Amino acid sequence: MVDVLCSGNALVDVLATVTEEQLQALAIVKNSYELVDAESAESLYAAMPPAVEISGGAAANTAVGVVSLGGTASYIGKVRDDQLGNVFRHDLRAAGVAFDTPAASSGPPTGRALTFITPDAHRTFRTYLGAANELTPDEVDEDTVGAADVTYLEGYLWDPPTAKDAFRKAMKLAHDASRRVSLTLSDAFCVNNWGHEFRERLADGDIDIQFANEAELLALFAGANLGKALEQLRDLCPIAAVTMSEHGSIVIAGDETHEVAAARVGEVVDTTGAGDLYAAGFLFGLTHGETLARCGELGSLCAAEVISHVGARPQRRLAELVASF
């Protein structure tokens, strides 16, 4: 049995600290997210200052966080059999995550996320999805899904039709095996594009554990304030966790409501991966019998660790961090 199976965009993160002036010179709007083609990705990469390169992608970050907490995790995602694909596979396996999805021998190269971090810790993305966007149902292995207590799916990958079919297959396999399915909405733009389908999945009982931040939740239930949106989500999903940056998070389930304070951070350096690591802490707690309030606390602790440094992966063993609280 594996605690959490994560699936999403398999990307190599390229993270560089830049000045406001450097962003302007590259004609990049701060805090924006934009998908680029292979040629633009190469051009921007060449113009970046020295950077940190590590396997990334939101769901992969969550998988690494679960393992760092002392849990077990597996991953389904698509890379090419190229240099960056090898980097991604090596990094994920070295972190202790099981990753056995075969690499593609043809098609687009491995995807990468170019992340520009300004001194105020804000992040600006230029992402080339590449092979990650080509996930198909054939890559969703029945035994891998059936062996996971929770299958955690990344909303970013709901856009490509074949990947959407892969996620639908994963949901069905998980429920056929009496396992649970979790979805993160990933970004408000994902919800603006596919919110009607996310609501359908919730209404049909396909989602057991929903993650969202406040902006994503309000996009999902357009026209509702936070309180009303939470009540609508409560009616549709057995468990949900909504993060609100420095204001902590709200966990709801049936008649339960838990307001969880944000964990203290000495200095916010880079908010990359905060939501991913919150999910890691929450799902680790959930799969190890913790109360929902404690699950939220674990999520907050993990998020606080990852925003205290550059990069979306923990720099200390999270199990040790949690043990001190």
Side-chain angles (χ1 to χ4, degrees):
M1 172 70 78
V2 171
D3 294 328
V4 186
L5 162 64
C6 298
S7 184
N9 278 321
L11 305 173
V12 174
D13 284 338
V14 183
L15 304 115
T17 300
V18 298
T19 64
E20 304 276 354
E21 292 73 22
Q22 286 173 314
L23 273 186
Q24 292 172 7
L26 291 170
I28 293 176
V29 177
K30 181 179 172 181
N31 290 329
S32 62
Y33 174 94
E34 188 175 305
L35 296 176
V36 298
D37 58 22
E39 182 179 354
S40 296
E42 288 296 333
S43 175
L44 286 171
Y45 178 78
M48 293 179 84
V52 174
E53 298 182 2
I54 187 170
S55 65
N61 296 336
T62 298
V64 171
V66 170
V67 173
S68 183
L69 284 160
T72 54
S74 55
Y75 183 79
I76 291 175
K78 195 160 189 175
V79 297
R80 178 72 192 273
D81 57 352
D82 54 18
Q83 180 180 352
L84 285 180
N86 291 335
V87 167
F88 184 93
R89 188 176 302 278
H90 174 269
D91 279 357
L92 209 54
R93 287 179 169 176
V97 177
F99 177 38
D100 298 317
T101 310
S105 58
S106 61
T110 297
R112 71 288 312 262
L114 308 179
T115 307
F116 302 83
I117 306 164
T118 44
D120 58 4
H122 285 269
R123 46 194 177 139
T124 302
F125 296 101
R126 291 297 179 268
T127 300
Y128 171 62
L129 295 173
N133 219 30
E134 304 289 318
L135 187 72
T136 72
D138 290 342
E139 275 89 47
V140 177
D141 178 70
E142 180 176 358
D143 291 339
T144 301
V145 177
D149 189 346
V150 174
T151 291
Y152 174 79
L153 305 173
E154 177 186 318
Y156 280 128
L157 203 50
W158 193 258
D159 193 49
T162 59
K164 187 181 300 187
D165 289 342
F167 276 10
R168 288 192 179 112
K169 178 181 177 181
M171 291 173 180
K172 185 177 187 307
L173 289 174
H175 284 151
D176 285 349
S178 300
R179 310 299 189 197
R180 292 175 287 184
V181 173
S182 179
L183 174 72
T184 175
L185 295 181
S186 292
D187 195 284
F189 87 87
C190 293
V191 183
N192 290 333
N193 288 336
W194 302 110
H196 62 292
E197 293 193 10
F198 292 150
R199 289 191 298 272
E200 287 173 1
R201 300 281 67 74
L202 286 162
D204 288 347
D206 292 333
I207 310 301
D208 305 296
I209 306 148
Q210 180 70 66
F211 289 96
N213 64 29
E214 185 175 357
E216 293 157 6
L217 179 66
L218 294 177
L220 186 65
F221 300 108
N225 60 26
L226 179 60
K228 289 183 178 178
L230 284 167
E231 291 312 305
Q232 290 184 66
L233 183 57
R234 187 195 304 272
D235 290 339
L236 291 172
C237 193
I239 299 173
V242 178
T243 57
M244 300 177 294
S245 300
E246 70 273 16
H247 301 297
S249 63
I250 297 177
V251 180
I252 55 176
D255 294 333
E256 293 184 58
T257 300
H258 304 279
E259 296 185 9
V260 182
R264 291 190 176 185
V265 182
E267 179 184 6
V268 177
V269 176
D270 171 21
T271 56
T272 308
D276 308 336
L277 270 296
Y278 179 94
F282 191 97
L283 291 175
F284 172 81
L286 192 66
T287 56
H288 286 78
E290 299 286 358
T291 65
L292 292 178
R294 179 58 175 166
C295 290
E297 291 173 356
L298 291 173
S300 292
L301 284 170
C302 295
E305 193 283 335
V306 83
I307 65 176
S308 69
H309 55 75
V310 172
R313 302 281 172 85
Q315 289 188 350
R316 62 176 291 188
R317 186 153 179 80
L318 294 176
E320 299 172 359
L321 173 66
V322 168
S324 64
F325 285 86

